[in-house]
Amino acid sequence: MPREYETVVIFDSSLTEEEVEERVERFRNALFGDGEGPFHVDVWGKRKLAYPIQNEEQGIYAVLRHESEPDRLSELERVARIDEMVLRQLTVVDPPTPAPPAEVEEESE
C-alpha cells in the first residue's frame, strides 16, 4: 500500500534552475518510472547551510512530497547518492494530520 513521504534534498548552490528541475525530474522517474503519481515539488531556493557540507556554505533546498510504495524509496535514495550535486537528502514518512480530540460529555448528577 502506498504511503505519503516527504523528501528534503539540498543541491549544490552552483546549479541553475533548469539543472535543479532536471534532477527533480530524475527523482520523479526513479519513483514512478514512465508513469505518473502524486508528486509535489517546492523549491525553496538558495539558503545558508547550518554548517558547511563538502566545503559548501550555501545550498539549494527542494522539498518533494510524494506517495509511493516503500520499495521505490531505495531507488530514489540510490539516484540521490550517485548524483555529485546532491549534498544531502532525507526522506521521512509524512504522518497523517491527526483528528481533533473528541469532546467528552460530562455526566450530570
Side-chain angles (χ1 to χ4, degrees), residues 13-15 44-48 58-61:
S13 63
S14 65
L15 292 177
W44 292 357
K46 194 179 290 189
R47 301 203 177 207
K48 185 174 178 0
Q58 293 186 340
I60 299 172
Y61 283 73

Side-chain angles (χ1 to χ4, degrees), residues 4-109:
E4 291 183 25
Y5 296 95
E6 182 175 90
T7 302
V8 177
V9 183
I10 304 174
F11 295 104
D12 188 283
S13 63
S14 65
L15 292 177
T16 65
E17 194 172 310
E18 292 81 24
E19 291 171 323
V20 170
E21 289 175 11
E22 178 184 304
R23 281 167 168 76
V24 167
E25 188 61 33
R26 249 189 255 155
F27 295 155
R28 181 192 319 260
N29 289 337
L31 286 171
F32 304 114
D34 293 334
E36 285 292 316
F39 192 81
H40 175 74
V41 180
D42 188 14
V43 179
W44 292 357
K46 194 179 290 189
R47 301 203 177 207
K48 185 174 178 0
L49 300 174
Y51 55 89
I53 301 174
Q54 300 174 6
N55 296 324
E56 293 288 331
E57 299 285 332
Q58 293 186 340
I60 299 172
Y61 283 73
V63 178
L64 318 173
R65 290 183 184 86
H66 50 92
E67 187 176 302
S68 66
E69 296 291 335
D71 61 338
R72 297 302 303 169
L73 283 181
S74 60
E75 180 63 16
L76 172 69
E77 292 171 353
R78 185 191 70 79
V79 170
R81 266 195 316 271
I82 63 174
D83 190 338
E84 294 177 356
M85 292 298 180
V86 173
L87 301 177
R88 289 281 190 275
Q89 67 86 22
L90 176 68
T91 300
V92 295
V93 175
D94 195 18
T97 307
E103 292 187 30
V104 178
E105 292 182 28
E106 294 183 25
E107 293 183 24
S108 59
E109 293 183 27

